[in-house]
Amino acid sequence: MGSDTDNRTDVLVVGAGPTGLTLAIDLARRGVGFRIVEKAPRPFDGSKGKGLQPRTLEVFDDLGVVDPLLETGTVYPPLRVRIGRVPVYRGRMHKLKDPTPAVPYPMVIMNPQWRTEAVLRERLAELGGTVEQGAELVGLRQDEDGVSAVLGTGETVRAGYLVAADGGRSFVRKTLEVGFAGETRDEERMLIGDVRIDGLDRAHIHVWVRPGKGMVALFPMAGTDTFQFMAQLRPGVTPELTLSGFRKVFAERSMLRDVQIGELLWASLYRVNIRMAERYRVGRVFLAGDAAHVHSPAGGQGLNTGVQDAYNLGWKLARVLSGAPEALLDTYEEERLPVAAHALGLSTALHDKKAYKRDEETQQLLLSYRGGSLARRGGDRAPDGRRHLADGTPVRLFDLFRGPHFTLLSSGPVPAVVADVPGREIHAHELAEPYGDETYVLVRPDGYIGLATSSVEELAAYLAMV
């Protein structure tokens, strides 16, 4: 989106992975002018980040993409760990939970990343947006009024703001000379790929451990006939990213003679990187997703944290472009940097312990912005649930929250101050039952409680700030 005549747009999104696509969808539904560019000539086709956490599913519910993802996805199947043909462990990574009124999506859902991105691109197209593939960012400069971005196509795009969702090797982060503190564990590498293989059931995650050789695991990818192949590598060993290379690793670690990899569709050599950007904002440029933080794959935090970076930033960009105070954009780093630091520590601890089990902490439902400048006796995720409007109509809370607006839940008459604030979409509802301990609960567009108060004056002051 954006003008074809003067190459100007409100927001330029660099990178079309899950983070960039989430941001583009959020901007599109808010009517913000944007363009999203991606240096790769075609969409990503690997499984890579396969786990969608419960909080991310709630984000995708709001953005209108949860249903197609749930139709093809599945909960993680049980693990089967063997030494050769000898079983040594069987269990689940995640405790099975049923939906509740407060938590409609309690389970981590497995979906290959390529499908998650495809669903997001389809939603973006429905909203009138499209990814510009093969458009690499090769230069940028900024001033007080905007950012000038030079693409490899020769075009210069002028944008009010630029969001870098261009991955762990971010060109934008390096150009801005933002520190990327942490470590690269060159001795800890992993062979990853998507394979077709006959002779294995698809009802389990298969893991083999051979002393002296290492581990190999096969995850059945939901809704496909493929498995994600993962194998830790010993220091100094660099296998070929070929079918024969994968076959060799599988054969020596599984010790199976009657099962063989038939086809290799995607392959990658992964090094454990544990890093976080020292800043998330430099002037009119923002870092999000892997450009701001890279994780070990343990715990499934990376993709999910990036999606929620975008979800936090999208409404703030839209508000400032509509006239809200510029200081609102400072709360992006204030809120998301500590969250990423927490997720980074969590995934690293799970990686170091080589732990299979996962718990509520990895599901990201407990993450909070408490203590921040936008949290006035609030900051936590606003739970789903069932209530009645004052006239007795039953409602689901997530249905009230869904959309780009703020939501005011009131246990008394809705105050006139809500209608008096110009240029802001607030959906106000008088409930028959209270939502919390205060008269007014204001839920932000990203589903977090911004304010809980019984003071109309305090409500008015908060609305003036956002």
Side-chain angles (χ1 to χ4, degrees):
M1 298 176 77
S3 172
D4 292 328
T5 57
D6 61 5
N7 296 340
R8 291 179 177 271
T9 192
D10 290 326
V11 181
L12 178 65
V13 182
V14 181
T19 301
L21 289 167
T22 297
L23 179 60
I25 290 169
D26 203 19
L27 295 174
R29 68 176 183 160
R30 297 174 186 282
V32 173
F34 74 92
R35 290 173 63 178
I36 177 170
V37 297
E38 167 58 52
K39 70 178 181 180
R42 61 187 63 87
F44 180 69
D45 59 0
S47 58
K48 200 178 178 183
K50 59 186 178 294
L52 300 178
Q53 300 290 350
R55 179 56 188 158
T56 300
L57 294 173
E58 294 181 354
V59 173
F60 286 163
D61 181 325
D62 181 42
L63 297 180
V65 297
V66 75
D67 287 342
L69 291 170
L70 292 177
E71 286 171 5
T72 56
T74 184
V75 299
Y76 276 55
L79 284 157
R80 274 187 177 175
V81 183
R82 288 166 281 196
I83 298 179
R85 296 182 182 274
V86 180
V88 295
Y89 174 81
R90 181 175 179 177
R92 286 188 175 273
M93 296 174 64
H94 313 98
K95 182 180 178 180
L96 292 176
K97 297 180 180 179
D98 293 325
T100 67
V103 182
Y105 311 111
M107 296 300 299
V108 181
I109 296 298
M110 181 191 292
N111 245 312
Q113 184 172 327
W114 64 261
R115 179 182 289 124
T116 298
E117 292 189 13
V119 170
L120 291 171
R121 283 196 303 273
E122 289 171 5
R123 177 61 174 146
L124 181 61
E126 291 174 359
L127 295 168
T130 185
V131 175
E132 300 176 38
Q133 301 280 164
E136 182 178 5
L137 181 71
V138 297
L140 70 92
R141 59 179 176 81
Q142 63 174 315
D143 51 45
E144 292 183 357
D145 300 319
V147 182
S148 294
V150 182
L151 304 181
T153 59
E155 180 185 8
T156 297
V157 180
R158 183 68 174 171
Y161 298 96
L162 184 147
V163 180
D166 54 343
R169 296 185 177 90
S170 173
F171 171 83
V172 175
R173 188 190 64 244
K174 292 176 180 178
T175 300
L176 296 175
E177 298 182 343
V178 174
F180 206 38
E183 60 178 324
T184 298
R185 299 182 180 179
D186 289 312
E187 76 283 2
E188 296 186 34
R189 295 163 304 138
M190 187 173 294
L191 185 64
I192 304 177
D194 292 339
V195 301
R196 288 196 174 98
I197 188 167
D198 295 324
L200 286 178
D201 75 80
R202 300 185 60 82
H204 297 87
I205 300 168
H206 301 274
V207 182
W208 293 269
V209 180
R210 184 177 180 184
K213 294 294 184 180
M215 177 275 291
V216 63
L218 290 170
F219 292 73
M221 287 291 96
T224 76
D225 61 352
T226 66
F227 288 84
Q228 185 189 69
F229 177 108
M230 298 181 70
Q232 293 174 331
L233 300 174
R234 290 176 295 166
V237 175
T238 302
E240 295 180 1
L241 299 182
T242 62
L243 178 58
S244 62
F246 275 69
R247 283 177 170 174
K248 180 180 179 181
V249 172
F250 179 71
E252 70 177 11
R253 298 188 183 189
S254 71
M255 296 181 284
L256 298 180
R257 296 182 179 179
D258 55 345
V259 177
Q260 181 172 275
I261 296 172
E263 188 176 357
L264 175 65
L265 298 122
W266 168 76
S268 178
L269 186 60
Y270 171 80
R271 292 185 306 167
V272 173
N273 275 293
I274 303 167
R275 295 182 179 275
M276 191 170 73
E278 295 175 350
R279 303 173 63 185
Y280 278 23
R281 180 186 187 186
V282 179
R284 289 177 168 267
V285 179
F286 300 84
L287 304 178
D290 286 357
H293 44 80
V294 290
H295 307 242
S296 97
Q301 299 297 288
L303 179 153
N304 294 276
T305 303
V307 164
Q308 293 172 65
D309 287 343
Y311 194 54
N312 181 284
L313 182 57
W315 72 269
K316 296 174 181 178
L317 284 169
R319 285 297 314 124
V320 169
L321 287 165
S322 296
E326 177 80 14
L328 179 61
L329 293 174
D330 291 332
T331 67
Y332 168 64
E333 177 179 305
E334 173 194 309
E335 292 186 338
R336 293 306 299 170
L337 194 151
V339 166
H342 172 82
L344 199 63
L346 180 62
S347 60
T348 303
L350 290 170
H351 173 84
D352 290 343
K353 288 188 287 188
K354 296 179 172 57
Y356 288 125
K357 293 285 188 179
R358 301 292 181 261
D359 57 23
E360 288 185 344
E361 199 170 12
T362 62
Q363 297 182 352
Q364 302 193 342
L365 294 172
L366 302 179
L367 295 176
S368 174
Y369 301 135
R370 284 189 187 183
S373 58
L374 292 185
R376 306 292 174 86
R377 291 189 294 281
D380 294 341
R381 160 191 170 271
D384 197 6
R386 304 285 177 174
R387 291 291 192 280
H388 292 83
L389 299 180
D391 64 5
T393 303
V395 292
R396 179 192 173 193
L397 292 171
F398 271 18
D399 289 340
L400 301 184
F401 300 160
R402 190 178 298 109
H405 53 268
F406 288 82
T407 304
L408 180 68
L409 302 177
S410 173
S411 57
V414 174
V417 66
V418 173
D420 292 341
V421 180
R424 186 176 296 103
E425 189 175 14
I426 303 174
H427 291 191
H429 305 277
E430 183 180 350
L431 302 179
E433 309 99 336
Y435 186 74
D437 298 328
E438 303 287 353
T439 305
Y440 310 115
V441 177
L442 185 69
V443 180
R444 303 176 353 173
D446 58 358
Y448 282 83
I449 296 173
L451 174 69
T453 183
S454 295
S455 167
V456 174
E457 292 75 20
E458 190 171 15
L459 175 62
Y462 188 93
L463 291 174
M465 182 174 63
V466 297

